[in-house]
Amino acid sequence: MAPTLRRAVRSRWRTASLAAGWPFPGDWEVPAVDAVCAAVVSGDDLSDSLAELGASRAESGVGLAGTLQDLAALHAVAGEDSDGLVSADPDAVPASLIRIAALGWADAVSGMSVGREVEDPLTGLNTAGYLRTRLHEVYREASSRGSTADEDYALTTVVLGVSTDGYPRMVAMVLIADVLRAVFDSGETSALLRAATAAVLAPRTPQLSARCQQARWMIEHRLAADPALRDCGQIRVQQEALPEDHAEACRLLASL
């Protein structure tokens, strides 16, 4: 009996959603729909299934307005008087259900955005935002061990000459990024802070200074090998002291 009821709810829901203007008839039925219908029929809590529905709609490219309109169609057909014509009114949906579906949708969108934006598309280095997040983890780790972030980690910056601009700068930064990935290949975080500034967050090890020197030599060697990049100016590779807390570290990154 339960499967029959679930199919009936799903059919009425889809009909109401299409009537309310659902623009993707072929993409309406996703696995999350079945989970929601099962919860409606059994009278179970809708929290998990609605969050899954919101996330699924976001992953399918459905906007928040469309997702909530679809939720309104569900709410209309799931009511006691749902056998006749129904009106999918988002304002009639309880705020608690809207909140659950909207948060599921927002979490999925946020995850997709992070996935697209953690790397700079030109150099392949991590973004400054990712480095800020990584530093937050470093400060929490240091606090849990009773040490400071600066005792455990070093922030090394690589800066192109101030006169470098345009195409030469872009090519130079691509070469610099390639060197940093090759030298710091043991889980360190390399990021692009500015158009001509890169940084590496690495644990303080006995080999760190030698690796920084190796990176400097490789960068200078590769830039010198290209006639178009010989005027990039002096490459500055230096270590920055990590401040006492994460907020100050973020301000440091902004100032570099």
Side-chain angles (χ1 to χ4, degrees):
M1 185 63 178
T4 301
L5 291 175
R6 287 199 297 270
R7 285 194 295 270
V9 170
R10 183 172 62 238
S11 178
R12 294 199 302 270
W13 179 10
R14 184 177 187 274
T15 299
S17 191
L18 292 178
W22 179 262
F24 316 107
D27 296 334
W28 181 85
E29 197 161 327
V30 293
V33 165
D34 288 330
V36 171
C37 291
V40 169
V41 170
S42 63
D44 293 340
D45 182 74
L46 289 171
S47 297
D48 291 341
S49 57
L50 280 186
E52 180 184 350
L53 177 70
S56 180
R57 294 308 192 204
E59 291 165 358
S60 298
V62 181
L64 182 57
T67 299
L68 297 183
Q69 186 67 53
D70 185 44
L71 175 62
L74 169 67
H75 181 258
V77 303
E80 295 181 359
D81 301 324
S82 62
D83 291 335
L85 295 176
V86 296
S87 175
D89 181 9
D91 292 335
V93 182
S96 60
L97 300 185
I98 291 177
R99 178 179 179 274
I100 293 168
L103 286 176
W105 184 91
D107 285 345
V109 169
S110 177
M112 291 186 291
S113 297
V114 168
R116 287 192 296 267
E117 296 175 1
V118 295
E119 289 186 357
D120 172 69
L122 178 65
T123 63
L125 294 176
N126 291 304
T127 62
Y130 181 88
L131 179 57
R132 287 192 295 268
T133 299
R134 181 70 187 99
L135 278 168
H136 181 63
E137 297 170 342
V138 164
Y139 276 87
R140 291 177 60 187
E141 177 187 358
S143 177
S144 69
R145 291 201 304 225
S147 60
T148 67
D150 194 55
E151 289 174 340
D152 299 333
Y153 285 84
L155 181 67
T156 302
T157 57
V158 180
V159 184
L160 272 177
V162 293
S163 62
T164 307
D165 201 359
Y167 179 76
R169 181 190 65 198
M170 291 189 294
V171 175
M173 291 308 296
V174 170
L175 293 178
I176 288 173
D178 186 58
V179 169
L180 294 181
R181 282 191 295 268
V183 175
F184 298 97
D185 61 347
S186 304
E188 299 85 358
T189 300
S190 300
L192 186 69
L193 299 185
R194 294 286 185 275
T197 303
V200 177
L201 180 66
R204 287 193 182 277
T205 64
Q207 297 79 27
L208 180 59
S209 294
R211 295 171 78 187
C212 289
Q213 292 175 4
Q214 180 187 7
R216 180 201 294 272
W217 180 87
M218 290 178 65
I219 291 170
E220 292 176 344
H221 180 74
R222 293 193 182 186
L223 294 183
D226 189 333
L229 303 179
R230 290 174 183 170
D231 295 330
C232 284
Q234 184 178 5
I235 306 298
R236 299 200 309 274
V237 179
Q238 60 188 36
Q239 288 190 12
E240 309 288 343
L242 287 175
E244 293 184 1
D245 59 45
H246 180 251
E248 292 183 16
C250 291
R251 286 192 287 272
L252 170 64
L253 292 185
S255 70
L256 293 174

